[in-house]
Amino acid sequence: AIMCGGSCTVNINGGTIENCYSKDIGGAIALRSGTYTFNMTGGTIKNCTSVNGGGIYIAPIKLVDGTYTQVKATINMSGGLIESCKAINPSGTNSNGGGIYLEGTVAGSELRMTGGTIHKCSAYTKGGGLYVSNSNTHTYLTKGNIYECTAAGATDGDGVGRGGGVAFVGYTTGE
């Protein structure tokens, strides 16, 4: 539904993004290759599917002189609903972040959840509701709801998923 391949600001404050599918990243929203600000104060993202980031995929990187460099991201969720989104890989391998997938940001990046709901989202491997990886992102989950999310597939060869609600993988700080 929404793809930004350069630096941008995305504001979701109403409406519905529903029944979307991506064969790669971001079933509803994919933000890649730039500096991002994402704000969700209302609206609904529902029944969207992708390999990574069933609802929202954010990987702020920039190609500079032939090398990918991590750049800053600011993610704010103070309202709205992300529901029944799935990260599923048809090959049965690594799929993360059913609701939201965030990877590879630099110091000074922030993810703040002060409201809203992530509900019944799932990932095959890690982070049914929220997946934060390889990140220097300061993560603040102070209000809102993440519930009935699952990570029930195989990971690390043991047949068990990790972080049904939230999975932090790599360096992160938060409260």
Side-chain angles (χ1 to χ4, degrees):
I2 298 172
M3 169 67 174
C4 179
S7 297
C8 64
T9 298
V10 174
N11 297 307
I12 305 290
N13 56 29
T16 300
I17 300 173
E18 187 173 8
N19 299 324
C20 297
Y21 172 78
S22 170
K23 290 168 75 174
D24 187 19
I25 58 170
I29 298 170
L31 307 178
R32 185 175 189 174
S33 304
T35 303
Y36 299 108
T37 300
F38 175 82
N39 301 302
M40 186 169 188
T41 59
T44 300
I45 297 172
K46 185 175 183 178
N47 294 327
C48 295
T49 304
S50 182
V51 173
N52 286 305
I56 301 166
Y57 176 95
I58 301 172
I61 56 173
K62 214 177 221 183
L63 186 60
V64 178
D65 297 326
T67 303
Y68 283 103
T69 305
Q70 295 178 354
V71 292
K72 185 177 177 183
T74 303
I75 298 96
N76 299 298
M77 184 174 182
S78 60
L81 171 66
I82 300 172
E83 184 171 53
S84 300
C85 293
K86 298 176 184 166
I88 300 172
N89 190 334
S91 69
T93 59
N94 204 27
S95 288
N96 302 304
I100 300 174
Y101 177 106
L102 174 62
E103 181 171 9
T105 59
V106 297
S109 294
E110 291 186 348
L111 182 145
R112 291 185 180 272
M113 185 174 183
T114 59
T117 300
I118 300 173
H119 179 235
K120 288 192 176 180
C121 293
S122 62
Y124 183 72
T125 313
K126 296 178 184 130
L130 171 64
Y131 174 83
V132 182
S133 175
N134 302 328
S135 183
N136 289 314
T137 301
H138 292 276
T139 304
Y140 305 93
L141 306 175
T142 56
K143 290 187 181 174
N145 300 292
I146 299 174
Y147 70 104
E148 294 182 350
C149 296
T150 61
T155 183
D156 303 328
D158 63 4
V160 179
R162 305 280 191 260
V166 179
F168 294 104
V169 180
Y171 178 76
T172 57
T173 58
E175 40 182 78

